[in-house]
Amino acid sequence: MKYIYLDHAATTPMHPDVIEEMTTVMNSIFGNPSSIHGVGREAHQKLEAVRQVIADSLKVKPHEIIFTSGGTEGDNTAIIETAEVMKKQGKHIITTAVEHPAVLQPLRYLESKGYDVTYLPVDESGRIILKDFKSALREDTILVSIVYGNSETGQLMPIKEIGEILQEHPAVFHTDAVQAYGSEEISPKEMGIDLLSASGHKINGPKGVGFLYKRDGLVFQPLLRGGEQEEKRRAGTENIAGIAGMGKAVEWLTPAEKAAHKAKNKDFQEIILDKLSEAGIDYQINGDCENKLSHILNIWFKGVSGDLLLMHLDLNGVAVSIGSACTAGTVDPSHVLEAIYGKGHPAVKESLRISFGYGNTEEEMIRFADLLIKTVQRLKN
């Protein structure tokens, strides 16, 4: 029986066009893009062509795209280097309690260096309250880092509204859009976003490559120091094959394709939820079912251990998760669900994240839902 992969929020399989593009580049474009001879210029041309593709997807200038090794590097660069550059103006930073570890860990590092970080709480949907954000904003606030779409619940944050509030404030606005970039239509200029992180492997591209959008004119220092690549903003010879693969993935994700994915994901969710309801399964969706990323469905199965449920599904050929892949393997409960429900709440350890993506079919959803129902019933008994 074919394995059913429903953990696309953790990573995605590479699209065949991406694999073909990377293979072609690895076979024919091996030069260093910083070299001035013909072989190097060929690599540089490929690099700049992809930069244009990504810039077009965000409606920004190519110069504003910096290639990185992925979302973690993008988040760390945006947060640590912005704080360092702006520390004379203040040391206050605003974020949320439900950020990805790639945001939370550099912020904790900055706290150890004397910075003051406000972690905004979230409501029962997992969304921050704008009134709380306005109250937290101070004269010495230098950076606001708020996730675009949460990786565990899929909850979308009020990014545009935050950007509008910050129009009258000098704080830099960063958003981790790793989960959202492949799904949502994002326009940093229109939304007031100064810095945006994204990653190739979340959009059916390769691992180990991503990009950071940096608004033109923003004062910035590189996190990685060495050579003068990326206009002195990120040292290290660029991963041409990986960048080319990411570019092909971005080309594939047209607005029409994103809309089609959303419609299909909605159908997948309805199949699963309808079958759960028909079977009388006691469940609750974590977060706001409407105002979220369409490819993530986080469900609390009341009275059933999430760990056991995941293990039984895995043994039966289904890949799902109980939280962010970057916190997998730890014994700590989900900090996202704790922020929504409170510590010790049963939902924290009785929830499952199901995430859809390229390659999934309606037949798989029916088969998965039937298996899920049988497994939940077995574990409850």
Side-chain angles (χ1 to χ4, degrees), residues 56-278:
D56 289 345
S57 75
L58 293 172
K59 301 183 182 69
V60 300
K61 303 172 187 174
H63 169 78
E64 296 174 305
I65 301 299
I66 304 168
F67 291 118
T68 67
S69 63
T72 295
E73 183 189 330
D75 288 341
N76 274 256
T77 302
I79 292 166
I80 294 173
E81 295 309 317
T82 297
E84 180 66 23
V85 166
M86 298 188 68
K87 62 185 178 182
K88 290 183 179 179
Q89 297 166 243
K91 286 194 170 185
H92 181 236
I93 301 170
I94 298 175
T95 189
T96 79
V98 296
E99 297 296 314
H100 189 277
V103 168
L104 294 175
Q105 290 300 330
L107 287 173
R108 287 175 186 140
Y109 164 76
L110 289 174
E111 283 183 298
S112 73
K113 299 296 181 181
Y115 288 82
D116 179 15
V117 181
T118 295
Y119 297 88
L120 296 174
V122 294
D123 61 19
E124 62 278 1
S125 73
R127 186 178 170 93
I128 65 165
I129 300 169
L130 283 174
K131 184 175 68 174
D132 292 343
F133 173 71
K134 291 177 182 178
S135 297
L137 203 57
R138 307 185 328 210
E139 286 187 9
D140 64 336
T141 303
I142 56 170
L143 172 66
V144 173
S145 182
I146 294 179
V147 67
Y148 200 108
N150 187 266
S151 64
E152 291 192 33
T153 64
Q155 183 64 49
L156 289 165
M157 291 294 181
I159 298 299
K160 185 176 181 180
E161 292 85 346
I162 293 167
E164 289 172 352
I165 294 169
L166 290 175
Q167 289 299 310
E168 305 301 322
H169 195 283
V172 172
F173 184 22
H174 165 252
T175 185
D176 176 341
V178 167
Q179 285 294 339
Y181 174 66
S183 170
E184 305 302 302
E185 290 299 315
I186 304 173
S187 178
K189 302 291 186 186
E190 294 176 7
M191 304 175 89
I193 298 168
D194 299 305
L195 294 161
L196 179 148
S197 315
S199 184
H201 78 104
K202 304 291 188 180
I203 59 169
N204 303 106
K207 296 174 180 62
V209 64
F211 69 86
L212 176 66
Y213 158 75
K214 181 189 79 70
R215 175 179 56 78
D216 211 9
L218 188 67
V219 179
F220 198 79
Q221 294 295 324
L223 181 69
L224 299 182
R225 292 168 168 80
E228 298 186 357
Q229 292 88 354
E230 297 300 292
E231 299 183 13
K232 302 181 181 180
R233 299 173 300 180
R234 196 274 186 183
T237 303
E238 293 92 344
N239 174 7
I240 297 297
I243 289 169
M246 178 172 62
K248 183 59 67 173
V250 173
E251 285 182 353
W252 177 63
L253 281 172
T254 62
E257 196 69 40
K258 288 181 180 181
H261 289 174
K262 286 186 177 183
K264 183 180 286 188
N265 292 339
K266 186 177 180 181
D267 290 342
F268 289 165
Q269 290 190 45
E270 287 180 356
I271 290 171
I272 295 168
L273 297 177
D274 286 349
K275 277 186 165 286
L276 289 174
S277 297
E278 289 169 7

